[in-house]
Structures are given as C-alpha cells and as structure tokens.
Amino acid sequence: MGISLFNLDGKIALITGSTHGLGMAMAMGLGKAGATIIVNGNSSQKKIDDAVLKYQKAGIKAFGFKFNVTKESEVINAIQEIQNNHGAIDILVNNAGIIKRTPLEEMEVHDFKEVIDVDLVSPFIVSKHIVKSMINRKQGKIINICSMMSELGRNTVGAYAAAKGGLKMLTQNMATEWAKHNIQINGIGPGYFATSQTAPIRVEGHPFNDFIVNRTPSGKWGDPNDLAGAAIFLASGASNFVNGHIIYVDGGILATIGKPSNEN
Ligand code: GCO
C-alpha cells in the first residue's frame, strides 16, 4: 500500500476560508498530496487571486471562488460552477470561521448569532449541498474544523465555544446519517496556533500568551503546517473506516489538567 494510501491525485478539494491561516496550511497539504484545490474566500477577489498564485507557485493546481458560506444561494451557485468547470467535489473542508471575544453578559445578540451563523450553520449549508453528489457517487470526505472550544470553555469566547461544540456534534450526526453512503465525515480540532486570529492574544508578555505556552505540554504555539498531516489523513483512503471522529492537533492541551506556572 505504501504512500498511495495518502495519495490525493485526481481529487477535487474545496476548503472554505483558504486564502490564509489554517485553511491555507491545510489546503497546501492536500494540494501537495495531489488534490486540485478550490480556494474560497469572501473578503476580496484580489485576496483570492493572490492566494491562488501562492498555491500555483507551490506547484499546486488551484482555482478561486468568491462566495459567502452563510448565503445558501451563493453556495448553491458556487458548487454548481465548480462542478461544471472542474468536476465533482471529493473533499470538503469546512474551515471558514470567525470569533468574537466578548464576555457573554456584554455580548450583543446579533454578534452571538453571527458567530453561530458562520461557524456552525455554514458547515451545514455547504455540506448539505455537496453531499448530494457524494451520495450519488457513493464516496466523499468531509472535514469540519472544530476547536479546543469544542471541548473546553474559555472566558469571552462563549459564542465561539457554542458553535464549535455544536460543530463537533454536527460532525457526529453527519457520520451517523451519511456513513452508509461510503462518506467519511470527521473533524480536526486545532489547539492554539500562530495565525491572524490569535495574533491579538499571542503578543510576547501578554498574559494569555504565557498561559497558553504553559498550558500546552509541547510548550509552544502550533505551526499551521502541523495541521496538514491530519488533513491529508482524513481526506485520503487511509481513513476510509474512520467516521465521526475529531482529531485534536493541540500539542497535548486536552491530555492534561496543566501545571503551576513555576513548574517545568
Ligand atoms: C481563543 C483562540 C481559540 C483558538 C482555537 C483553539 O480566543 O481562545 O482564538 O479560539 O483560535 O479555536 O482551538
């Protein structure tokens, strides 16, 4: 079997929110394993075009599609255009997400709903419209990007934790309903990674930065490239009997109660 177990040659992979950050890191991994990458973003066409160039410079076949994952009509049209131009989507990574850090008692309802909309409802919308062709073809891979907050709470990220906790259970229910069609639906739970999303809390000397380094048995923030392996595994034939499982790539955070700050 060897490396063919992880080979993605000929596969079409859509990664939502893949113009930067963890989405791009995972998509680069899938692309280097052979997949054609469908790059998605919703900010600007220039950002998408710049990202496509980065993939192409890495020797990866990539095409950009600008659509808002929370708008069902945009999702339907984009999926149709992707399928017409490039073929059926074999691998879907629901990565697009936002976070708003506000104490719950101060959070506006519209802000809470926006986080739920992007982080929980949109994976449902995109999966619902892609799974139909996976069911017809009796094959497919869906990877939902969860979080430490799928398992743990933290001050000021209540809406995000509710969404990511829900995404873990949505992953398990997708597996329950769709596994019989030879579709594997799993999740990846990143720990604390060095990205634009965590930049505000990763400043040297910031109490949270010191907390995370101490709370993570590996003693450091993750490098986004460390996520590629889990993505390739869950997108490839190596995981054909893995379903409803969240792989935590977290440097050991969930394995431990932590240690006093003065202990090595
Ligand atoms: C935060 C961080 C986390 C990480 C990640 C952890 O404010 O606590 O942004 O939410 O981004 O989700 O898995």
Side-chain angles (χ1 to χ4, degrees):
M1 294 291 270
I3 56 168
S4 62
L5 210 52
F6 299 93
N7 189 310
L8 301 179
D9 283 348
K11 300 293 186 185
I12 305 286
L14 165 62
I15 302 90
T16 62
S18 46
T19 59
H20 65 288
L22 301 187
M24 174 169 269
M26 288 183 282
M28 282 284 188
L30 298 179
K32 287 172 184 167
T36 294
I37 302 303
I38 305 297
V39 182
N40 160 256
N42 184 43
S43 51
S44 73
Q45 189 58 48
K46 181 182 181 320
K47 205 167 177 188
I48 291 172
D49 296 344
D50 292 348
V52 168
L53 271 179
K54 284 181 187 166
Y55 287 100
Q56 290 171 340
K57 280 186 183 148
I60 293 166
K61 250 175 104 179
F63 304 91
F65 284 81
K66 182 177 182 297
F67 61 94
N68 183 335
V69 291
T70 68
K71 305 283 185 228
E72 189 171 25
S73 58
E74 289 190 33
V75 170
I76 292 169
N77 293 338
I79 289 169
Q80 194 56 59
E81 195 183 345
I82 292 163
Q83 288 177 343
N84 293 345
N85 296 353
H86 306 292
I89 295 166
D90 302 292
I91 300 157
L92 167 62
V93 181
N94 287 307
N95 167 75
I98 61 171
I99 192 166
K100 290 178 187 277
R101 300 184 180 97
T102 311
L104 280 172
E105 70 276 14
E106 295 169 18
M107 185 168 232
E108 298 293 339
V109 173
H110 67 81
D111 283 329
F112 188 96
K113 285 184 174 178
E114 185 184 0
V115 173
I116 299 292
D117 221 18
V118 178
D119 296 4
L120 178 57
V121 180
S122 71
F124 162 67
I125 293 172
V126 181
S127 303
K128 169 184 160 76
H129 289 291
I130 284 179
V131 81
K132 290 168 187 163
S133 83
M134 290 179 173
I135 289 170
N136 293 338
R137 292 181 300 119
K138 288 238 166 287
Q139 66 173 35
K141 299 280 186 178
I142 297 176
I143 303 169
N144 294 322
I145 306 308
C146 296
S147 162
M148 294 290 93
M149 276 72 239
S150 296
E151 303 289 346
L152 301 170
R154 169 170 111 68
N155 282 347
T156 76
V157 296
Y160 184 86
K164 292 297 188 179
L167 187 56
K168 173 188 171 190
M169 287 315 303
L170 181 61
T171 301
Q172 292 179 208
N173 229 80
M174 285 177 174
T176 301
E177 296 191 29
W178 295 338
K180 59 178 174 284
H181 303 295
N182 187 34
I183 300 166
Q184 291 81 49
I185 307 95
N186 293 284
I188 292 174
Y192 281 83
F193 281 79
T195 65
S196 56
Q197 177 182 285
T198 58
I201 55 176
R202 198 162 24 92
V203 177
E204 188 69 36
H206 186 297
F208 194 80
N209 176 73
D210 301 342
F211 166 70
I212 285 299
V213 171
N214 186 56
R215 180 73 176 73
T216 307
S218 303
K220 62 179 181 178
W221 288 80
D223 172 345
N225 296 317
D226 289 331
L227 284 169
I232 293 165
F233 170 65
L234 292 176
S236 71
S239 60
N240 283 349
F241 200 55
V242 178
N243 236 318
H245 189 74
I246 314 295
I247 296 183
Y248 287 100
V249 183
D250 68 353
I253 289 180
L254 289 181
T256 178
I257 191 174
K259 63 185 186 302
S261 54
N262 62 353
E263 194 181 287
N264 280 331

